[in-house]
Amino acid sequence: MAAMACTSAASTALSTPRLAAVKPARSARPVHLTSAFHGQSVASVSQVAGFESSGVKYRSAGRRAVVVCKAADGQTVVIGLAADSGCGKSTFMRRLTSVFGGAASPPKGGNPDSNTLISDTTTVICLDDYHSLDRYGRKEKAVTALDPKANNFDLMYEQVKALKEGKSVEKPIYNHVTGLLDAPETIHPPKILVIEGLHPMFDERVRELLDFSIYLDISDDVKFAWKIQRDMAERGHSLESIKASIAARKPDFDAYIDPQKQYADVVIQVLPTQLIPDDNEGKVLRVRMVMKEGVPFFEPVYLFDEGSTISWIPCGRKLTCSYPGIKFFYGPDTYYGNEVSVLEMDGQFDKLDELIYVESHLSNISTKFYGEITQQMLKHADFPGSNNGTGLFQTICGLKIRSVYERILANQKNAATLQSAKA
Amino acid sequence: MAAMACTSAASTALSTPRLAAVKPARSARPVHLTSAFHGQSVASVSQVAGFESSGVKYRSAGRRAVVVCKAADGQTVVIGLAADSGCGKSTFMRRLTSVFGGAASPPKGGNPDSNTLISDTTTVICLDDYHSLDRYGRKEKAVTALDPKANNFDLMYEQVKALKEGKSVEKPIYNHVTGLLDAPETIHPPKILVIEGLHPMFDERVRELLDFSIYLDISDDVKFAWKIQRDMAERGHSLESIKASIAARKPDFDAYIDPQKQYADVVIQVLPTQLIPDDNEGKVLRVRMVMKEGVPFFEPVYLFDEGSTISWIPCGRKLTCSYPGIKFFYGPDTYYGNEVSVLEMDGQFDKLDELIYVESHLSNISTKFYGEITQQMLKHADFPGSNNGTGLFQTICGLKIRSVYERILANQKNAATLQSAKA
């Protein structure tokens, strides 16, 4: 019975007992990949990346027998989260993990600079780990981290595919402190694998593996305000250097990152408020959740009347809010040629009353009990964005991911039961 | 027991048996009131009106013994409907009467030019019947029918008060055909008395007698379009004469009719559409129902979330509409210093689907079964405004009046039961 739900790729290894923990041979010395590229043309970079990929394939093939067969608990559900750096991905990930209960932490006893976060249900891997060029290599080649040439999509695809098929992988670690590639760490197939970073939807093969995908789309105005907050106030950078750094990234961002929006099941757009005329503080935000229609196991959230167009100012006779208040919008739209539903929140919550009032008027939010969103938001009231649409929609995305996961699982079980009944 | 609910004013006549039909002594000749005014100053017109009033008082006093004591079925509920002529009052009245079932017709065997409409439950009297100056008298004095000086408010007050107290009255008839005042007709106290015309809320005493009041507020643009439709297309008037007639009425309208808006429990505003840019056809309308808060036995209709501000375009994924579509607005506001809720409909219904869809999303509409509004609107699909907000809101007003009536009745019964239990 347990074998019924095993993936076909793993079926050749069914007789092999499951190895609970495959300890990789760790290299103590960081791998400096750029040394291989000296004097080569740009075109050959991908060949080298392919070589690296093959190397991993080889290692992977060497351990084919040590396959993890996921049985009754179903296959790994893969979630993609695309966003630029400094856009609140880590907060998003913490909110998401929290929905499943339990805290997320880096792999125990491993590289302290690992970017991976593991909890009972989820494993979040950072796609920076698939950089094929480290900081020095990128400098030498004059390519940004946004450039596909600095990333190994073959390896990304193989490893995500392996994890989805229930096999552990040896994933490289990009060390954000040193800017080098550290020795790989073992990733075991979790219930939910989140791949977050710059390019989760760039490569068609990787994209095909995603069960659900989200794109965090921060408008230039807000990005600028946030960068100033972080890089100027906290890191002492100058306004000019921040402007220059944003400008330098923009061409590659527009060429390689931004187009992924079209593939996302949900795009969270963060924009300046429209409630305060000519606001340039960037503190009050207008956040839009663009939800694709017709995605398996996912029903877009709606306000009052599914499929119609609604604007709603909840603050009024029953709910009082301080200036500038809160305004919602909901309606159907098209986005990159796809039919979508848009839910928008402008403004921010001042009090718990406002949050629960809003939650109680939203439908299809995939909560398990009344007030679950409010409870989650309060639990992490100290996280950035807890009083506005970023926190609200991140939390809703967390609930939606849980729902997608549970429905895929239920679907697999039903299919297994059906197959077993036929047999 | 039955005597418990009698009005105190009628209590002196309790021992008198109820006279089912009080036949008035009819004058065969129309009363030409202006003859009394010749050569008098304008100031004395009101005195003459007072005299007329006293005259009626006298007649009324002469029949004091013939009092109708309304017992278990409660006192007459009085509704005021203010509107200019040619603004759809008669359609409104037909919609209202229809809510109670049965057709309305003029008093049987009476003056064929009577303005009164009687049904099982309702009696609608036209306040033009309280003109103190007939067409000739107004011409002579150079006053319009809108001018209070051309109307007998003392008599209006006394008769509405008498009817409310369960007493029949001898009401004059203003003959719209001849422009003269005909001999009076007897009006018996109905369950619901509707007084409709130019001044139901002008006189403070009459206003105080109203249990519920409505003001039909047609914007100048729409009024003009309607007048053209009726007076030019149907009656052969010239565009210039229509413009002149509207302009001539405007000062008195603004002085005496328009200010009554502030007293109305519901104001129905009829405006040009905002869905078609620069529309001047006047065929598509934007209709607003301004509902006063805190009116006894009346709860304003709302859309989705009571007390918040909402705009709703029902046409979308579930409901498709043809151009220019339908748009609703709902929200709290202030109107002449009063707290109100506003429900607005712009556009028109093409199909039954649209009507029932909209009805199913409105709350506090006082229907007795699902789809009652749609049923009423379909029943009178040939009435003007059946495809837009005028018909919808008139129908809703009808349901609201029924609800006010039933709740006043229930309240009286409760009070009577309580008093009987105490005794």
Side-chain angles (χ1 to χ4, degrees), chain A residues 204-391:
Chain A
E204 194 186 341
R205 298 163 302 167
V206 177
R207 209 159 63 222
E208 289 292 316
L209 294 171
L210 300 177
D211 293 294
F212 194 72
S213 56
I214 300 159
Y215 185 99
L216 268 186
D217 184 17
I218 318 296
S219 74
D220 288 346
D221 289 345
V222 173
K223 206 179 270 186
F224 186 63
W226 284 3
K227 289 256 183 201
I228 285 175
Q229 168 70 21
R230 194 185 69 168
D231 294 349
M232 205 160 101
E234 293 169 21
R235 298 182 187 178
H237 298 195
S238 74
L239 192 64
E240 285 64 38
S241 76
I242 294 167
K243 280 184 182 170
S245 130
I246 290 177
R249 286 170 65 86
K250 191 146 174 62
D252 277 2
F253 187 85
D254 290 349
Y256 308 120
I257 311 303
D258 195 74
Q260 295 177 93
K261 287 196 266 197
Q262 66 192 294
Y263 305 117
D265 298 320
V266 170
V267 175
I268 297 182
Q269 299 174 326
V270 183
L271 303 147
T273 183
Q274 287 180 338
L275 298 176
I276 305 168
D278 307 318
D279 176 67
N280 49 18
E281 272 198 76
K283 284 185 180 168
V284 181
L285 299 173
R286 180 166 70 99
V287 187
R288 289 163 64 88
M289 184 160 57
V290 181
M291 300 164 283
K292 205 178 267 181
E293 292 288 329
V295 173
F297 310 113
F298 170 68
E299 276 97 40
V301 181
Y302 70 87
L303 192 57
F304 300 122
D305 179 31
E306 199 171 2
S308 72
T309 301
I310 286 177
S311 83
W312 177 47
I313 299 169
C315 318
R317 235 171 248 142
K318 284 188 187 171
L319 183 76
T320 52
C321 313
S322 65
Y323 181 83
I326 301 168
K327 186 175 180 177
F328 275 80
F329 168 85
Y330 163 76
D333 206 341
T334 53
Y335 185 80
Y336 285 94
N338 294 308
E339 204 183 334
V340 295
S341 285
V342 177
L343 180 66
E344 175 183 314
M345 173 182 167
D346 198 350
Q348 53 192 36
F349 304 112
D350 277 339
K351 293 172 298 188
L352 171 63
D353 290 356
E354 298 165 15
L355 183 49
I356 186 71
Y357 191 83
V358 165
E359 177 179 356
S360 68
H361 286 83
L362 295 171
S363 297
N364 269 359
I365 44 176
S366 302
T367 47
K368 297 208 168 183
F369 54 88
Y370 179 80
E372 188 175 9
I373 291 176
T374 304
Q375 191 202 60
Q376 283 292 333
M377 297 269 284
L378 283 178
K379 204 164 149 187
H380 305 297
D382 56 322
F383 285 9
S386 288
N387 67 340
N388 65 36
T390 63

Side-chain angles (χ1 to χ4, degrees), chain B residues 30-57:
Chain B
V31 183
H32 193 163
L33 283 183
T34 45
S35 56
F37 303 145
H38 284 289
Q40 293 192 20
S41 73
V42 171
S44 69
V45 169
S46 60
Q47 292 162 9
V48 176
F51 164 78
E52 270 304 300
S53 165
S54 297
V56 175
K57 240 190 263 181

Side-chain angles (χ1 to χ4, degrees), chain B residues 2-3 5-7 10 13-14 16 18 67-73 165-167 189:
Chain B
C6 284
T7 58
L14 278 180
T16 313
R18 178 169 176 160
V67 122
V68 178
C69 172
K70 305 212 64 172
D73 57 343
E165 288 170 352
K167 302 169 212 163

Side-chain angles (χ1 to χ4, degrees), chain B residues 151-193:
Chain B
N151 294 278
N152 187 343
F153 290 104
D154 290 337
L155 182 61
M156 190 192 293
Y157 165 63
E158 282 155 24
Q159 296 204 335
V160 173
K161 184 168 178 282
L163 286 165
K164 187 159 187 160
E165 288 170 352
K167 302 169 212 163
S168 296
V169 300
E170 294 297 299
K171 184 191 57 58
I173 297 173
Y174 175 75
N175 190 318
H176 284 93
V177 181
T178 63
L180 301 174
L181 284 152
D182 289 353
E185 62 185 353
T186 305
I187 302 294
H188 301 296
K191 288 178 179 167
I192 299 172
L193 173 70

Side-chain angles (χ1 to χ4, degrees), chain B residues 102-352:
Chain B
S105 52
K108 275 172 197 161
N111 187 331
D113 292 334
S114 165
N115 305 305
T116 304
L117 281 173
I118 296 174
S119 77
D120 287 350
T121 322
T122 63
T123 293
V124 182
I125 61 175
C126 176
L127 296 181
D128 288 351
D129 289 337
Y130 293 103
H131 281 333
S132 56
L133 293 175
D134 62 18
R135 198 176 291 157
Y136 308 93
R138 294 198 298 271
K139 199 165 183 184
E140 210 167 331
K141 296 279 166 192
V143 292
T144 69
L146 310 163
D147 193 318
K149 291 194 286 288
N151 294 278
N152 187 343
F153 290 104
D154 290 337
L155 182 61
M156 190 192 293
Y157 165 63
E158 282 155 24
Q159 296 204 335
V160 173
K161 184 168 178 282
L163 286 165
K164 187 159 187 160
E165 288 170 352
K167 302 169 212 163
S168 296
V169 300
E170 294 297 299
K171 184 191 57 58
I173 297 173
Y174 175 75
N175 190 318
H176 284 93
V177 181
T178 63
L180 301 174
L181 284 152
D182 289 353
E185 62 185 353
T186 305
I187 302 294
H188 301 296
K191 288 178 179 167
I192 299 172
L193 173 70
V194 181
I195 59 170
E196 62 93 352
L198 294 166
H199 305 93
M201 290 161 260
F202 181 84
D203 184 275
E204 194 185 341
R205 298 164 302 168
V206 177
R207 209 158 63 222
E208 289 293 315
L209 293 171
L210 300 177
D211 293 295
F212 194 72
S213 55
I214 300 160
Y215 185 101
L216 269 186
D217 185 17
I218 318 297
S219 73
D220 288 348
D221 289 347
V222 173
K223 205 179 272 186
F224 185 64
W226 285 2
K227 289 255 182 201
I228 285 175
Q229 167 69 21
R230 194 186 70 171
D231 294 349
M232 203 159 105
E234 294 170 20
R235 298 181 187 176
H237 296 197
S238 74
L239 191 63
E240 285 66 34
S241 75
I242 294 166
K243 279 184 184 170
S245 130
I246 290 177
R249 285 170 66 85
K250 190 145 174 63
D252 277 2
F253 187 85
D254 290 349
Y256 309 120
I257 311 304
D258 194 74
Q260 294 178 94
K261 287 195 264 195
Q262 65 193 292
Y263 305 116
D265 298 322
V266 170
V267 175
I268 297 182
Q269 300 174 325
V270 184
L271 303 148
T273 183
Q274 288 181 338
L275 298 176
I276 305 167
D278 307 318
D279 176 68
N280 49 17
E281 274 199 75
K283 282 185 182 170
V284 181
L285 299 173
R286 179 166 69 100
V287 188
R288 289 163 65 88
M289 184 160 56
V290 181
M291 301 163 281
K292 205 177 268 181
E293 292 289 329
V295 174
F297 310 113
F298 170 69
E299 276 97 40
V301 181
Y302 70 86
L303 192 57
F304 300 121
D305 179 30
E306 200 172 1
S308 72
T309 301
I310 286 177
S311 82
W312 176 48
I313 299 169
C315 318
R317 235 170 248 144
K318 285 187 186 172
L319 183 77
T320 53
C321 313
S322 65
Y323 180 83
I326 301 168
K327 185 174 181 178
F328 275 81
F329 167 84
Y330 162 74
D333 206 342
T334 53
Y335 186 79
Y336 285 94
N338 296 308
E339 204 183 334
V340 296
S341 285
V342 177
L343 181 66
E344 175 183 314
M345 173 182 167
D346 198 351
Q348 53 194 33
F349 304 112
D350 278 339
K351 293 173 297 190
L352 171 62

